[in-house]
């Protein structure tokens, strides 16, 4: 795989004869129109229907944003190239709907180079298509001035080419964001006003690149980074806290409305404001749960396991685990151990539920596996549990 800075020097255009062979070997006979200029206002509508499979209504909508289309020559070349890369059918219509003007783009200058760059970075042909579908803005970026520099910055922020490619394959639409106008101001704000250096921010960005592409400025804008900082401080989390950055990341994924609903729910289970703040400082990600899931977990711990609400607040890690895959199977095991007189009062419940599987296996399963055939019932009733 090539380094991104070397791609700038390696952009050789595909020979025209090679492109022609590429286009006309696709079998897409519907796009092999003769270059014509038509005064018919319905020319584009008919072209979109015949060559791309648009419905009449959808073709009409697309044509309104591209009224000057009069020649099919470049459009035939574009469709032929996209089909040769594996973009056809619904995906082809999606791309055209997003940017109708690409039907008049030059294939060599505007399209072929982009796919070549993605493949030289280490993506397969099919992965390159998936990346374009996830980040169609790539097709509209200038190669030298925007695309390559932007890829280089993101590779640096992610810390490796592998993580960059992984995020490109996902639905994180970070490639559409300006580095100069959004990403860099956000990084500077976190560093200069919050005391969070770029290397720490990268830990969050690797998992959630959307965190750093928010509007950097307005506190009134609920989607801005400053607004998140304002929310965190309003909850009682100081900027100096080691968890401050992770709390900003969580708040980015939790609207004010959902946050208020979650707080009200936890109050109904006996949490005080200080209980909530203490739990949120330690393990803020529990707010990512839906209200229904959070309610089920709190009911399980308080009513079934009989853990005090304050203990859950002191050890909120227990809220991170799946009811079906971990919490309920372990609770069933706990009941068996109690019924056989093997449960001791010095076992801390939060440790029982949060212990990693290997440690849990050594402490609570293997010593009793041969003596207690009932343990097999737990596995039978919970095929997804991992500790038996």
């Amino acid at each position: 795989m090539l380094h991104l800075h070397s791609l700038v020097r390696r952009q050789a255009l595909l020979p025209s004869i090679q492109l022609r062979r590429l286009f006309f070997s696709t079998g897409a006979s519907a796009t092999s129109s003769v270059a014509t200029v038509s005064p018919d206002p319905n020319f584009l509508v008919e072209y979109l229907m015949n060559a791309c499979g648009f419905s009449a209504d959808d073709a009409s909508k697309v044509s309104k944003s591209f009224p000057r289309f009069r020649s099919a020559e470049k459009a035939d070349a574009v469709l032929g190239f996209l089909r040769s890369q594996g973009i056809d059918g619904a995906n082809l219509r999606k791309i055209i709907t997003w940017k109708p003007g690409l039907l008049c783009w030059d294939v060599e200058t505007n399209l072929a180079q982009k796919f070549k760059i993605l493949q030289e970075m280490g993506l397969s042909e099919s992965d390159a298509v998936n990346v374009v579908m996830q980040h169609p803005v790539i097709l509209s970026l200038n190669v030298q001035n925007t695309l390559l520099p932007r890829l280089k910055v993101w590779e640096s922020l992610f810390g490796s080419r592998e993580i960059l490619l992984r995020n490109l394959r996902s639905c994180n639409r970070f490639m559409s964001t300006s580095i100069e106008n959004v990403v860099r101001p956000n990084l500077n704000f976190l560093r200069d006003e919050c005391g969070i250096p770029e290397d720490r921010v990268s830990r969050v960005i690797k998992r959630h690149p959307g965190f750093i592409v928010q509007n950097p400025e307005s506190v009134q804008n609920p989607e801005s980074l400053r607004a998140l900082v304002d929310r965190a401080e309003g909850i009682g989390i100081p900027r100096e806290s080691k968890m401050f950055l992770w709390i900003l990341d969580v708040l980015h994924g939790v609207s004010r409305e959902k946050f208020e609903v979650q707080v009200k729910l936890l109050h109904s289970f006996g949490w005080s404001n200080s209980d909530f703040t203490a739990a949120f400082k330690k393990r803020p990600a529990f707010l990512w749960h839906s209200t229904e899931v959070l309610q089920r977990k709190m009911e399980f711990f308080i009513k079934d396991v009989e853990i005090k609400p304050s203990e859950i607040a002191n050890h909120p890690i227990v809220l991170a685990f799946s009811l079906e895959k971990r919490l309920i199977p372990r609770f069933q095991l706990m009941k068996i151990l109690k019924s056989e007189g093997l449960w001791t009062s010095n076992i801390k419940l939060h440790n029982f539920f949060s212990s990693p599987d290997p440690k849990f296996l050594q402490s609570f399963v293997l010593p009793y596996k041969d003596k207690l055939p009932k343990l097999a019932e737990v596995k039978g009733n919970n095929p997804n549990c991992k500790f038996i």
Side-chain angles (χ1 to χ4, degrees):
M1 294 187 294
L2 297 175
H3 292 293
L4 283 173
H5 62 77
S6 69
L7 286 176
V8 177
R9 301 191 300 270
R10 291 287 305 274
Q11 291 314 301
L13 300 182
L14 291 173
S16 298
I17 187 170
Q18 183 179 349
L19 286 171
R20 291 193 191 98
R21 290 172 181 169
L22 204 57
F23 301 153
F24 296 107
S25 64
T26 61
S29 59
T31 64
S32 57
S33 307
V34 177
T36 58
V37 176
S38 171
D40 187 350
N42 294 321
F43 179 65
L44 178 55
V45 173
E46 293 176 358
Y47 184 87
L48 292 171
M49 292 171 61
N50 296 331
C52 309
F54 278 94
S55 68
D57 288 342
D58 289 341
S60 179
K61 292 176 183 177
V62 171
S63 68
K64 290 177 182 178
S65 60
F66 191 42
R68 297 183 180 180
F69 181 87
R70 289 294 182 268
S71 172
E73 183 178 19
K74 282 191 173 180
D76 285 346
V78 168
L79 294 182
F81 176 78
L82 292 176
R83 286 185 168 121
S84 76
Q85 299 300 305
I87 299 178
D88 202 356
N91 282 340
L92 182 65
R93 291 188 289 275
K94 181 179 178 181
I95 288 288
I96 295 172
T97 301
W98 167 74
K99 185 73 74 174
L102 66 79
L103 289 173
C104 286
W105 287 359
D106 179 81
V107 169
E108 293 183 1
T109 303
N110 300 114
L111 296 174
Q113 287 189 77
K114 316 303 179 48
F115 282 88
K116 184 179 180 182
I117 287 170
L118 294 175
Q119 292 172 19
E120 288 184 344
M121 287 176 60
L123 293 170
S124 65
E125 289 186 8
S126 60
D127 278 344
V129 169
N130 290 334
V131 165
V132 168
M133 296 309 302
Q134 297 287 2
H135 308 265
V137 70
I138 287 174
L139 297 181
S140 66
L141 298 178
N142 180 278
V143 170
Q144 304 296 337
N145 297 334
T146 308
L147 178 58
L148 288 174
R150 191 170 293 184
L151 287 169
K152 188 176 179 180
V153 169
W154 280 110
E155 182 174 330
S156 174
L157 289 174
F158 289 136
S160 72
R161 172 72 58 84
E162 180 183 359
I163 298 175
L164 169 62
L165 295 181
R166 186 180 72 207
N167 278 291
L168 281 173
R169 293 186 187 101
S170 72
C171 293
N172 300 308
R173 300 186 184 279
F174 56 91
M175 283 299 295
S176 61
T177 302
S178 168
I179 300 296
E180 296 75 16
N181 297 331
V182 178
V183 176
R184 186 55 59 188
N186 278 338
L187 290 171
N188 293 341
F189 168 68
L190 291 171
R191 181 195 62 207
D192 299 337
E193 299 190 37
C194 300
I196 304 173
E198 188 171 309
D199 61 333
R200 282 182 57 200
V201 178
S202 290
R203 299 174 195 171
V204 172
I205 296 175
K206 288 176 183 179
R207 297 190 302 172
H208 305 126
F211 169 75
I212 205 65
V213 301
Q214 307 166 70
N215 185 311
E217 293 299 332
S218 173
V219 173
Q220 286 72 36
N221 182 346
E223 296 183 355
S224 76
L225 193 56
R226 287 182 182 273
L228 291 185
V229 170
D230 188 57
R231 285 176 63 189
E233 291 182 322
I235 297 167
I237 314 297
R239 298 187 184 191
E240 297 76 23
S241 169
K242 293 182 180 180
M243 291 297 294
F244 191 74
L245 178 62
W246 299 102
I247 286 171
L248 294 181
D249 184 36
V250 169
L251 291 177
H252 175 236
V254 179
S255 67
R256 291 178 184 270
E257 293 75 17
K258 179 180 178 180
F259 181 88
E260 292 173 1
V261 170
Q262 304 281 53
V263 171
K264 185 177 179 180
L265 171 69
L266 293 168
H267 283 167
S268 73
F269 284 105
W271 278 20
S272 64
N273 286 333
S274 59
D275 285 334
F276 175 83
T277 302
F280 192 56
K281 284 182 179 179
K282 293 177 182 178
R283 202 78 180 187
F286 69 81
L287 286 187
W288 276 334
H289 293 315
S290 69
T291 303
E292 294 74 20
V293 168
L294 187 58
Q295 180 173 344
R296 286 180 59 207
K297 289 184 178 182
M298 291 296 291
E299 289 174 346
F300 168 78
F301 282 119
I302 293 172
K303 296 179 181 179
D304 298 338
V305 186
E306 298 181 342
I307 296 180
K308 295 180 180 179
S310 59
E311 185 175 354
I312 302 173
N314 288 330
H315 305 282
I317 188 175
V318 297
L319 295 172
F321 304 111
S322 165
L323 277 168
E324 290 73 21
K325 294 181 180 180
R326 174 178 288 207
L327 300 179
I328 292 175
R330 290 195 179 189
F331 177 58
Q332 292 174 347
L333 175 61
M334 183 182 81
K335 290 193 292 184
I336 292 174
L337 295 177
K338 283 185 175 181
S339 69
E340 298 295 332
L342 300 172
W343 183 267
T344 60
S345 58
N346 63 350
I347 299 175
K348 295 182 178 179
L349 289 175
H350 64 270
N351 286 336
F352 180 80
F353 286 105
S354 62
S355 292
D357 287 329
K359 182 178 179 181
F360 185 86
L361 192 69
Q362 291 292 331
S363 301
F364 300 107
V365 177
L366 294 181
Y368 316 112
K369 192 170 185 179
D370 295 333
K371 300 177 184 178
L372 298 177
K374 289 182 179 180
L375 292 178
E377 296 179 9
V378 177
K379 179 66 175 178
N381 294 333
N382 304 276
N384 291 324
C385 72
K386 301 177 181 179
F387 58 79
I388 298 180

